[in-house]
């Protein structure tokens, strides 16, 4: 599963221009091949009893005494593998049309294959060290893809920003891995069960503070990859990459890695209630922050990026709620992988037809000329706002109801986030596909070719059926049980619960409000100045300004002080010593006149001094 896309990346990168004509086909074939292997593994797991659904695949000895390289095939990892390879393959196919005129298309597909291979290693690894290798591979591939059009300064800067911000989270993950090994003597997932962690606490082998620290450090790593507060600033800038990159990063791969890490490390979080509570707080804060940002973005891709940030917040909230929350979080993650990839690729289809224009204020009325793109996009929109019977209706409402049972404040904040989602996603639909045409004079929108629209159709089908399939009868919760455990009491689906009805009501209010603001009313070509809150959202909640004030400026001054100390202190000392020796030697050099009579006089004077000293000593 990992070797196929890795082989594709190697062939395309090492083959160079000789593979230009067929490189994109090889990239698609390798991703599809990995999907076939994932399906075969999934079918094999389904044929096993629950007790045997965790299969280890040892590969080789990696770091003796610390970690061997091996893979873990269980319901959690195979769910991610199916999502990564399935949605990833559709994105590969879509990219054939989207990147058809790019001279570096072959290199683009090589990076896509590398991304898929790294993400598969991340989710299939059977220990934290191997996971970290895939984790860093994803970081490298994201850097290469976000900055793919490196001739654009904004793309190069965005790639560096994503890479650097993620290093902060990676530092936390590294320290967590070191602490786990120091405390438990292993980094293998199979040996770090809930019973093991609780046993270490009961026996005194690990303190509550240590387990809490491990959980918080793991969360820091998750926040970097999944763009959760306070490490979210890279996400919107990542839109500088080609649109298929946005779909891959924001739907099926990179941003889901943090959620996977938290769920896979559930044993630590369940033993550390404080760390678990922090996970839920971070999730709720991020889902609200992303939703607020999405309300003020006119760039269609950045609006979707804010939406991704918000939806990952819902998943993180679920991941902090224990086994019940794990199932709803991963179910929402899988459904989100379909409808968000659908909308990102739909946005790319719109851009493809509108001369790469991303400003929704220059769209309007596109439904009449792009019916397939519009219809599939609307399906994704209905799924993400939680329209009844579509995917998000089952998965997101499950997270909200579970949160209500644990903490009513967090639950009601999640309901508010759902209402804001209804507003900003409806705003996007009305500004893009309905209302008056606001196209530029040189725009001639048209439907995209079938190589781009067929993936949209398949993704929209998944957006419709996946939620009900996974959630009803607790089907997915039972499937995940061998990997993450089963709650003492299985939850039921309550379509007419108070939180569910409140969520639908707030979503409806958001849709109606968006209709009056952007559907029925004229949309100005230039965004009005807006209130302080609007400016706050447009500036990404001043995340960049905060990072600049707290880290960049102090770091800049620290660097200046270090340079000054180096120049005036260390270099001054060395240069001063050299100057002192040079000055002294210059003065001593004058004694060497070159005249014999001077040297004879010096010898006489010296002899007189020696004789005088001897006579003085002899008379003492």
């Amino acid at each position: 599963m990992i070797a196929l896309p890795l082989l594709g990346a190697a062939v395309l990168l090492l083959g160079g221009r000789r593979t230009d004509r067929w490189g994109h086909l090889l990239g698609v074939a390798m991703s599809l091949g990995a999907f076939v292997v994932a399906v075969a593994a999934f079918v094999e797991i389904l044929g096993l009893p629950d007790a045997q659904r965790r299969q280890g695949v040892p590969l080789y000895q990696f770091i003796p005494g610390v970690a061997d390289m091996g893979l873990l095939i269980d319901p959690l990892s195979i769910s991610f593998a199916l999502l990564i390879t399935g949605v990833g393959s559709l994105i590969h196919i879509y990219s054939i049309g989207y990147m058809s005129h790019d001279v570096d298309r072959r290199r683009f597909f090589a990076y896509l294959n590398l991304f898929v291979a790294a993400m598969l290693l991340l989710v299939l690894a059977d220990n934290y060290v191997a996971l970290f290798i895939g984790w860093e591979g994803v970081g490298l591939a994201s850097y290469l893809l976000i900055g793919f059009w490196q001739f654009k300064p904004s793309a190069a800067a965005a790639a560096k920003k994503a890479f650097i911000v993620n290093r902060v989270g990676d530092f936390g993950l590294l320290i967590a891995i070191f602490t786990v090994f120091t405390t438990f003597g292993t980094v293998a997932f199979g040996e770090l069960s809930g019973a093991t962690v609780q046993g270490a606490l009961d026996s005194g082998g690990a303190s509550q503070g240590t387990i809490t620290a491990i959980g918080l450090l793991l969360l820091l790593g998750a926040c970097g990859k999944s763009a959760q507060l306070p490490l979210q600033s890279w996400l919107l800038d990542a839109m500088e990459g080609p649109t298929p990159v946005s779909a891959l990063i924001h739907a099926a791969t990179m941003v889901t890695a943090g959620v996977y890490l938290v769920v896979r490390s559930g044993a630590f979080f369940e033993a550390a209630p404080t760390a678990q509570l922090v996970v839920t707080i971070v999730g709720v804060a991020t889902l609200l922050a992303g939703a607020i940002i999405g309300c003020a973005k006119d760039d269609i891709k950045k609006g979707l990026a804010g939406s991704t940030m918000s939806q990952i917040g819902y998943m993180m909230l679920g991941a902090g709620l224990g086994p019940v929350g794990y199932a709803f979080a991963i179910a929402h993650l899988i459904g989100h992988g379909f409808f968000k990839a659908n909308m990102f690729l739909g946005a790319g289809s719109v851009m493809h037809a509108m001369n790469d224009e991303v400003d929704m204020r220059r769209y309007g009325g596109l439904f009449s000329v792009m019916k397939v793109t519009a219809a599939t996009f609307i399906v994704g929109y209905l799924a993400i706002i939680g329209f009844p019977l579509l995917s998000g209706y089952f998965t997101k409402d499950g997270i909200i109801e579970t949160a209500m049972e644990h903490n009513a404040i967090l639950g009601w904040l999640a309901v508010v986030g759902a209402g804001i989602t209804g507003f900003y996603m409806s705003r996007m639909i009305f500004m893009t596909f309905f209302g008056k045409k606001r196209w530029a004079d040189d725009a001639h929108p048209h439907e995209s070719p079938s190589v781009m629209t067929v993936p949209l159709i398949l993704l929209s089908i998944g957006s419709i059926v996946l939620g009900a399939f996974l959630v009803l009868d607790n089907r997915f919760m039972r499937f995940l049980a061998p990997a993450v455990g089963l709650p003492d009491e299985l939850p039921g689906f309550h379509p007419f619960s108070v939180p569910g009805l409140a969520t639908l009501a707030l979503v409806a209010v958001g849709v109606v409000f968006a209709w009056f603001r952007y559907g029925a009313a004229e949309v100005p070509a230039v965004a009005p100045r807006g209130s302080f809150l609007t400016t706050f959202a447009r500036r990404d909640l001043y995340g960049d300004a905060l990072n600049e004030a707290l880290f960049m400026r102090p770091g800049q001054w620290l660097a200046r002080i270090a340079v000054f100390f180096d120049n005036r202190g260390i270099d001054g000392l060395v240069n001063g010593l050299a100057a002192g020796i040079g000055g002294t030697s210059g003065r001593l050099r004058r004694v060497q006149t070159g005249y014999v009579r001077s040297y004879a006089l010096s010898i006489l004077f010296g002899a007189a001094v020696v004789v005088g000293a001897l006579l003085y000593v002899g008379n003492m």
Side-chain angles (χ1 to χ4, degrees), residues 79-210:
S79 298
F80 273 83
L82 287 169
L83 174 68
I84 294 162
T85 56
V87 175
S89 294
L90 293 176
I91 294 171
H92 275 70
I93 294 170
Y94 175 95
S95 300
I96 294 176
Y98 190 87
M99 301 294 289
S100 60
H101 300 297
D102 197 295
V103 295
D104 287 323
R105 181 169 65 167
R106 177 261 318 163
R107 183 165 57 89
F108 180 78
F109 276 86
Y111 294 162
L112 287 184
N113 272 197
L114 179 63
F115 203 123
V116 170
M119 190 66 193
L120 285 171
L121 175 59
L122 190 160
V123 299
L124 293 172
D126 69 352
N127 63 80
Y128 281 108
V129 173
L131 176 147
F132 188 74
I133 296 173
W135 192 273
E136 293 303 296
V138 169
L140 169 63
S142 67
Y143 170 79
L144 296 172
L145 285 168
I146 293 169
F148 181 74
W149 289 325
Q150 55 194 275
F151 54 85
K152 295 168 56 180
S154 57
K160 287 188 287 185
K161 184 176 183 180
F163 195 81
I164 292 170
V165 172
N166 270 273
R167 298 291 73 73
V168 178
D170 294 354
F171 178 77
L173 177 56
L174 265 179
I175 301 301
I177 295 172
F178 296 156
T179 308
V180 168
F181 182 74
T182 303
T183 305
F184 297 95
T186 182
V187 291
F189 298 139
E191 300 175 24
L192 294 168
S193 64
T196 302
V197 176
Q198 191 59 49
L201 280 172
D202 296 339
S203 65
S207 67
Q208 187 66 57
T210 300

Side-chain angles (χ1 to χ4, degrees), residues 283 287 310-318 332 396 399-400 414 417-418:
L287 74 86
S310 179
Q311 296 305 307
I312 299 294
Y314 276 102
M315 300 169 207
M316 201 65 76
L317 170 62
H332 190 54
K396 188 161 64 176
I399 293 173
I400 292 173

